[in-house]
Amino acid sequence: MAWTDICAFEDLVENSGICALVDGQQVAVFLLELQGEPQIYAVGNYDPIGGANVLSRGIVGSLGEQIVVASPLYKQHFDLTTGRCVEQPEVQIPVYEVKLEQGRVWLNAVNQAQAASAA
Ligand code: FES
């Protein structure tokens, strides 16, 4: 486990995303307010369908039970907890664990989507 301090909680933008560079990888970090509780999600910033680093600029929302980001390019939706594309489930982006500690946002740079499928 490699936890990295990526930013202050105040650097996050509610209901929107920011981009962080962690171990040379671009990560999209989203802050959502769900039932009054702040929730932070982190996924790869790279949209493998659009072929560009744009997901931090995507629109976040829910699709049924799923919390998703819509790519600003072709509007595919990626599930923020599994990394799976809703429209093309064979496509999956990395997902990362995040935690909040004393006002700082920490990210575990191990791709949880890969860890899950390897288990
Ligand atoms: S997010 Fe960069 S072109 Fe849309």
Side-chain angles (χ1 to χ4, degrees):
M1 270 213 199
W3 287 96
T4 308
D5 179 341
I6 51 167
C7 64
F9 182 71
E10 291 80 60
D11 295 331
L12 300 177
V13 183
E14 199 178 308
N15 298 318
S16 186
I18 59 149
C19 181
L21 195 62
V22 184
D23 289 350
Q25 298 291 321
Q26 287 191 29
V27 177
V29 186
F30 301 95
L31 172 63
L32 276 90
E33 182 95 12
L34 297 173
Q35 288 139 12
E37 289 286 315
Q39 279 287 338
I40 306 171
Y41 296 93
V43 298
N45 192 36
Y46 186 75
D47 170 1
I49 297 169
N53 284 303
V54 293
L55 293 181
S56 66
R57 295 169 179 274
I59 305 289
V60 281
S62 54
L63 213 56
E65 302 275 280
Q66 298 180 93
I67 308 295
V68 296
V69 58
S71 170
L73 292 172
Y74 301 125
K75 315 298 179 201
Q76 280 87 7
H77 297 86
F78 294 93
D79 186 308
L80 292 181
T81 56
T82 65
R84 236 170 247 294
C85 177
V86 174
E87 291 80 10
Q88 289 175 243
E90 71 279 11
V91 178
Q92 194 175 20
I93 58 172
V95 287
Y96 304 101
E97 280 183 291
V98 269
K99 64 180 179 185
L100 192 58
E101 251 175 44
Q102 291 170 351
R104 303 291 305 177
V105 180
W106 291 76
L107 183 131
N108 176 2
V110 175
N111 177 3
Q112 297 301 306
Q114 232 162 45
S117 55

